[in-house]
Amino acid sequence: MLRGIFLQYRKMVLVTAARDYVNRMLQDITGMKVLILDSQTVSIVSVVYSQSELLQKEVFLVELVDSISMSKESMSHLKAVYFLRPTSQNIQHLRRQLANPRFGEYHLFFSNMLKDTQIHILADSDEQEVVNQVQEFYADFVAVDPYHFTLNIPSNCSYMIPAVVDPSGLQRFCDCVVYGIAAVFLALKRRPVIRYQRTSDVAKRIAHETSKLMYQQESSLFDFRRVEVSPLLLIVDRRDDPVTPLLNQWTYQAMVHELIDIEDNKVDLRSIGKSTKDQQEVVLSSAQDAFFKANMYENFGDIGMNIKQMVDDFQQIAKSNQNIQTIEDMAKFVDNYPEYRKMHGNVSKHVTLVTEMSKIVDERKLMLVSQTEQELACNGGQVAAFEAVTDLLNNENISDIDRLRLVMLYALRYEKESPVQLMQLFNKLASRSAKYKLGLVQFLLKQAGVDKRTGDLFGNRDLLNIARNMARGLQGVENVYTQHRPLLFQTMESITKGRLRDVDYPYVGDHFQQARPQDVVIFVVGGTTYEEARSVALQNASNSGIRFILGGSVVLNSKRFIKDLEEAQRIIKSSTSVI
């Protein structure tokens, strides 16, 4: 068990910061309220606050700002609490709604910094003086876990597109990242020293723009009480480790996201035939579900055993000797014992998820596929790897996306060593999987090939890493399916030991660190994975004296990573065809 990890939850940094903002919005406004959000702040609130908690704060209605514009019905008995991102579009929505107020009072909260011009627009619009307050509450991030946040940026593929192709699109993407990072540090009440990955133009650009915002444009806002050692913000590029988002996952949280999908800590089970009406969307939150919190980083084999124990405990409490083997058995059981319905909801949720994942693993032969993936990611042996990938490409039971991932992993590993074999695999993939165009693997190599990367991704160019991998091999790994470690693990290790090279990760401006930082935020432009979030949790539990926080533009699984590659390739192709 990973019991040590959960000591960190006593201080649930990001979740606590976001919850505190929501609390402050709602608790000082007495009486019946309507909470009005936008598509982004819905996510921010939903991951840290449940519907029942909102009801306790007398929130009787939650609406989206664009849909509430359509209604003309007067609700003067309700107080309107708006929590919006300070976008031009939202300001226009507010301007129109304040011109014809429907609510008794208006309390306006923004998730990030307002421009002076926006404040003037709001002031001019409030002709009937219904606005009681306007405040900035810096929660412009989705705190999916205590030490893991995402910005949920829709156009995530922008980081791969050269600035000349779509300059305004790239600027919008960078602005979202810069202001999202700023909100995190305003919530933490710290101003960081900033470093970035030298080989990434987009990481460099974001680092410099973030520094300009924090140290020049909004310097007074970030002028917090001095600390002995400033926190570190390290901005890296997803393309430095394209392997991690391509791998199948075998620990609980990461596996659910890879095989079913998690969005804002919710899992949509409508496509699963056996899900009951109240189980069509389930919440997987370490803050709201004790079983999930205790098991989110456990491997799949242990999860099955732990769920069986939970079912047995459930039966014991109900003093029943019924033989519960299936979800149907459980449903019948609960009909007989309605007082245990709440506990049943949690039990059946996890049983449903594990049952569905077992089915997918079996149908897609993922144990077979994953073994080869892990060998490609962690061990040498090009000849054996070529044979294993070829065999799987020929296997009728392997899905198109799994074939593509295998060829991508082989290409990333052996692009320089075996160009002839690589072409053979390209041709084989093209003949077996019509869905994926051949150019996608080459596009991945152009974006994230060995010449583009800073880190020692496969641990084979560094004598220390070779020795370390041999030692791990001799000691035996925890599990053949979970032997891979993300590049982020090495990065955290380098920071902890004070060995992060300035030449690879330069500082911005003249703000340097003389001593080891106590707080480090690593932001991955292009998105994080739950495997990396697990590495951060393990590192934080090791009592190294440094607290790491991981953030990214989105949370990736292999489908999303490949979709971003396809979209970036399409945009670049269409721009060159115009030229």
Side-chain angles (χ1 to χ4, degrees):
M1 284 289 287
L2 306 167
R3 297 186 71 84
I5 290 175
F6 306 113
L7 296 171
Q8 64 174 291
Y9 283 86
R10 288 176 190 167
K11 198 172 181 187
M12 297 173 74
V13 192
L14 293 174
V15 174
T16 301
R19 272 185 68 85
D20 284 351
Y21 281 132
V22 180
N23 272 331
R24 283 165 58 193
M25 267 185 267
L26 300 176
Q27 68 189 18
D28 294 336
I29 304 164
T30 56
M32 292 170 66
K33 295 177 276 288
V34 55
L35 179 61
I36 298 163
L37 307 167
D38 61 35
S39 58
Q40 293 287 101
T41 56
V42 160
S43 299
I44 293 166
V45 172
S46 70
V47 297
V48 296
Y49 235 77
S50 68
Q51 286 180 316
S52 58
E53 287 174 313
L54 287 174
L55 272 173
Q56 286 167 15
K57 299 285 184 188
E58 297 183 282
V59 173
F60 292 99
L61 198 59
V62 179
E63 291 281 356
L64 285 172
V65 68
D66 45 0
S67 61
I68 209 160
S69 294
M70 311 295 173
S71 177
K72 301 279 191 289
E73 184 190 351
S74 174
M75 293 187 175
S76 55
H77 62 293
L78 289 177
K79 297 173 182 178
V81 179
Y82 283 76
F83 180 46
L84 307 173
R85 296 192 72 243
T87 63
S88 304
Q89 192 179 18
N90 282 340
I91 296 296
Q92 289 310 311
H93 279 310
L94 268 171
R95 190 176 63 77
R96 286 192 293 272
Q97 289 169 32
L98 289 172
N100 293 293
R102 296 170 48 213
F103 303 104
E105 293 177 9
Y106 284 71
H107 302 262
L108 310 183
F109 300 94
F110 292 91
S111 66
N112 221 313
M113 294 165 252
L114 281 164
K115 298 184 178 76
D116 286 344
T117 52
Q118 293 175 324
I119 295 168
H120 289 310
I121 290 168
L122 291 174
D124 292 343
S125 306
D126 186 26
E127 290 181 7
Q128 300 188 40
E129 297 184 351
V130 287
V131 176
N132 283 41
Q133 59 178 320
V134 179
Q135 289 199 55
E136 295 169 342
F137 275 0
Y138 308 109
D140 207 4
F141 54 88
V142 180
V144 286
D145 283 313
Y147 294 91
H148 183 202
F149 71 90
T150 174
L151 301 181
N152 279 358
I153 298 176
S155 54
N156 188 54
C157 68
S158 297
Y159 78 101
M160 291 189 255
I161 298 166
V164 291
V165 172
D166 183 10
S168 59
L170 181 62
Q171 188 58 55
R172 280 194 301 275
F173 176 85
C174 290
D175 286 346
C176 279
V177 173
V178 169
Y179 280 92
I181 290 171
V184 167
F185 281 96
L186 286 169
L188 296 173
K189 297 182 170 50
R190 293 284 183 271
R191 176 160 53 186
V193 164
I194 303 170
R195 300 176 72 173
Y196 63 91
Q197 181 188 316
R198 177 185 53 81
T199 54
S200 168
D201 289 340
V202 71
K204 179 179 180 180
R205 178 172 175 167
I206 287 166
H208 280 274
E209 288 181 12
T210 304
S211 178
K212 190 177 175 185
L213 181 74
M214 292 179 173
Y215 285 92
Q216 293 172 35
Q217 295 162 340
E218 299 290 349
S219 177
S220 59
L221 205 54
F222 286 88
D223 191 16
F224 298 109
R225 185 172 55 83
R226 295 281 186 274
V227 287
E228 268 187 56
V229 183
S230 294
L232 170 64
L233 166 63
L234 175 64
I235 299 171
V236 297
D237 192 312
R238 176 73 271 162
R239 291 169 291 185
D240 213 30
D241 177 5
V243 166
T244 299
L246 284 171
L247 291 173
N248 260 302
Q249 297 301 317
W250 295 93
T251 57
Y252 195 24
Q253 184 184 39
M255 196 174 177
V256 173
H257 188 47
E258 177 60 27
L259 299 184
I260 303 175
D261 212 6
I262 303 174
E263 194 171 328
D264 300 333
N265 289 353
K266 294 183 187 71
V267 184
D268 187 343
L269 295 176
R270 279 174 296 190
S271 59
I272 298 170
K274 289 182 180 176
S275 64
T276 56
K277 195 173 180 183
D278 61 341
Q279 294 272 316
Q280 291 188 344
E281 185 181 76
V282 297
V283 175
L284 272 189
S285 163
S286 55
Q288 296 176 32
D289 181 337
F291 179 85
F292 181 64
K293 177 173 154 181
N295 288 277
M296 59 198 283
Y297 302 130
E298 297 288 357
N299 69 53
F300 193 51
D302 292 335
I303 291 295
M305 300 293 289
N306 295 344
I307 286 178
K308 177 74 171 75
Q309 184 62 51
M310 184 165 62
V311 171
D312 291 346
D313 291 346
F314 179 39
Q315 284 182 278
Q316 191 68 39
I317 291 167
K319 297 182 176 60
S320 163
N321 294 317
Q322 275 183 251
N323 185 17
I324 296 180
Q325 295 293 339
T326 67
I327 297 159
E328 286 91 340
D329 292 343
M330 207 171 291
K332 286 177 196 164
F333 174 75
V334 170
D335 286 339
N336 295 332
Y337 296 92
E339 65 270 29
Y340 298 110
R341 189 176 299 278
K342 188 178 177 187
M343 187 182 176
H344 159 263
N346 209 36
V347 175
S348 67
K349 167 174 76 178
H350 294 291
V351 172
T352 303
L353 287 171
V354 170
T355 304
E356 181 63 16
M357 290 194 295
S358 297
K359 196 171 83 180
I360 294 168
V361 166
D362 191 45
E363 283 172 358
R364 285 171 51 186
K365 309 296 176 210
L366 290 183
M367 295 189 92
L368 201 60
V369 171
S370 188
Q371 201 160 347
T372 300
E373 287 176 4
Q374 291 283 325
E375 288 296 312
L376 285 167
C378 304
N379 303 310
Q382 181 263 320
V383 175
F386 175 74
E387 285 178 10
V389 174
T390 303
D391 286 347
L392 287 167
L393 290 182
N394 286 329
N395 188 326
E396 297 293 337
N397 297 311
I398 305 302
S399 69
D400 282 354
I401 193 167
D402 293 324
R403 289 192 181 109
L404 176 67
R405 289 187 305 102
L406 285 162
V407 174
M408 282 179 162
L409 289 165
Y410 182 93
L412 288 165
R413 182 73 199 243
Y414 299 112
E415 64 178 298
K416 300 289 190 189
E417 291 173 49
S418 61
V420 175
Q421 284 92 337
L422 196 49
M423 278 313 299
Q424 288 176 330
L425 291 180
F426 284 169
N427 294 333
K428 178 76 73 178
L429 179 67
S431 69
R432 299 307 304 251
S433 301
K435 185 180 174 189
Y436 292 108
K437 304 291 184 287
L438 254 186
L440 198 60
V441 188
Q442 284 99 323
F443 182 71
L444 172 65
L445 292 179
K446 274 185 194 165
Q447 288 283 331
V450 66
D451 298 334
K452 303 279 185 181
R453 300 193 298 260
T454 303
D456 187 15
L457 186 55
F458 293 107
N460 55 2
R461 299 198 302 275
D462 178 314
L463 282 172
L464 183 67
N465 273 324
I466 290 169
R468 189 184 293 127
N469 285 341
M470 281 176 66
R472 278 176 65 206
L474 290 169
Q475 291 159 7
V477 291
E478 180 191 350
N479 184 316
V480 69
Y481 299 107
T482 55
Q483 56 186 309
H484 171 258
R485 281 180 170 179
L487 182 67
L488 180 80
F489 196 92
Q490 286 179 37
T491 307
M492 290 190 293
E493 210 169 48
S494 299
I495 292 168
T496 303
K497 293 177 178 174
R499 291 181 185 156
L500 196 69
R501 286 156 40 109
D502 293 9
V503 67
D504 291 332
Y505 300 96
Y507 288 89
V508 178
D510 55 0
H511 306 284
F512 300 100
Q513 269 172 328
Q514 305 304 326
R516 205 177 66 151
Q518 293 176 326
D519 289 285
V520 177
V521 174
I522 300 177
F523 189 89
V524 187
V525 180
T528 58
T529 67
Y530 283 118
E531 185 188 349
E532 288 162 329
R534 179 179 184 266
S535 291
V536 167
L538 287 166
Q539 182 64 36
N540 284 342
S542 70
N543 298 318
S544 66
I546 298 180
R547 177 179 68 178
F548 287 92
I549 290 174
L550 176 66
S553 42
V554 296
V555 184
L556 295 166
N557 54 18
S558 62
K559 287 195 290 283
R560 177 64 196 264
F561 183 60
I562 289 167
K563 184 182 161 210
D564 285 344
L565 278 170
E566 288 176 315
E567 184 65 7
Q569 184 190 33
R570 184 191 64 75
I571 292 168
I572 292 168
K573 262 187 185 172
S574 61
S575 76
T576 50
S577 64
V578 169
I579 295 164

